[in-house]
Amino acid sequence: MPLGKIIFWFEELPSTMDMAHDLAMKGYPEGTLIIANRQTMGRGRYNRVWISRDGGLWLSSILRPRDNVFINLLPLIFAVSVHETLSIYVSDCWIKWPNDVLVDDKKIAGILSESRFTGSKLSYIVVGIGINLNNAIDDSLEDRAISLSTLLGRKINIPSIFRSLLENMNRFYGIYQLTPSLIIHEFYKRTRMIKKTVKVIMDGKIIQGIGLGINLNGDLILKNQDQIRIIHSYDAPFKVLVEDS
Ligand code: BTN
């Protein structure tokens, strides 16, 4: 079933993630989308607050992959889809592993993936996407986040961005279903991390290396002299810095 075959569009929700989990548990199919004009308790990775005022695009999709083999690549499909959608408007947009879409060094969109298992069997996954479009950016985030309307100096037509995003989500999800590894290549075309010095700051320690790529588990591979370091996207909270080298 295509993504967006069933769409629920709400004025306000605590979080589209919670509504998507409720609907998934009631048996709603893959591709059911939940959108809210604003969220009162939007969340990001590691349960960080995700400020979601009117004017942004805040949505979650229910996914029911047949197995859990490549599920860590799923967030990349959506990051690639967001990138494809926004790069028509802004040229210096790129994806920072694992889930950020940036314009230069400011975040314009983020992706959140939450899986639910029954025992060891995958039940479903909810992937959430938040894109800053016409929403005001909180003062506290001004040096780290940006909206498309600020970049373009005009109001953005949200339904038209949504239509194009949906088309891209279906296109890249289709590609992933046929050949999961192709999504990694789509990521390579849209990132600035490959052959660059990447620093991952985790637990107060810095892991540094040259970005070699992503494996089929969605992990980042860094090379430091002769040592290969694998960073899992689901590890403890970390910060990723990319240097212009
Ligand atoms: C991140 O960068 O940490 C991920 C942010 C994900 C935000 C989106 S907005 C729609 C969906 N509902 C939420 O509460 N979060 C995700």
Side-chain angles (χ1 to χ4, degrees), residues 12 36 48 65 68-69 71 77 86 88-89 101 108 118 127 189 194 201 224 240:
E12 179 178 299
R48 290 179 186 135
N68 57 4
V69 187
I71 55 170
I77 302 173
L86 297 182
I88 292 175
Y89 300 88
V101 182
I108 193 163
T118 310
V127 177
K189 288 189 221 162
I194 306 304
I201 305 166
N224 191 336
V240 179

Side-chain angles (χ1 to χ4, degrees), residues 112-130:
L112 175 67
S113 172
E114 296 177 343
S115 345
R116 294 289 181 267
F117 288 82
T118 310
S120 60
K121 193 178 177 306
L122 177 69
S123 306
Y124 67 86
I125 298 179
V126 171
V127 177
I129 304 177

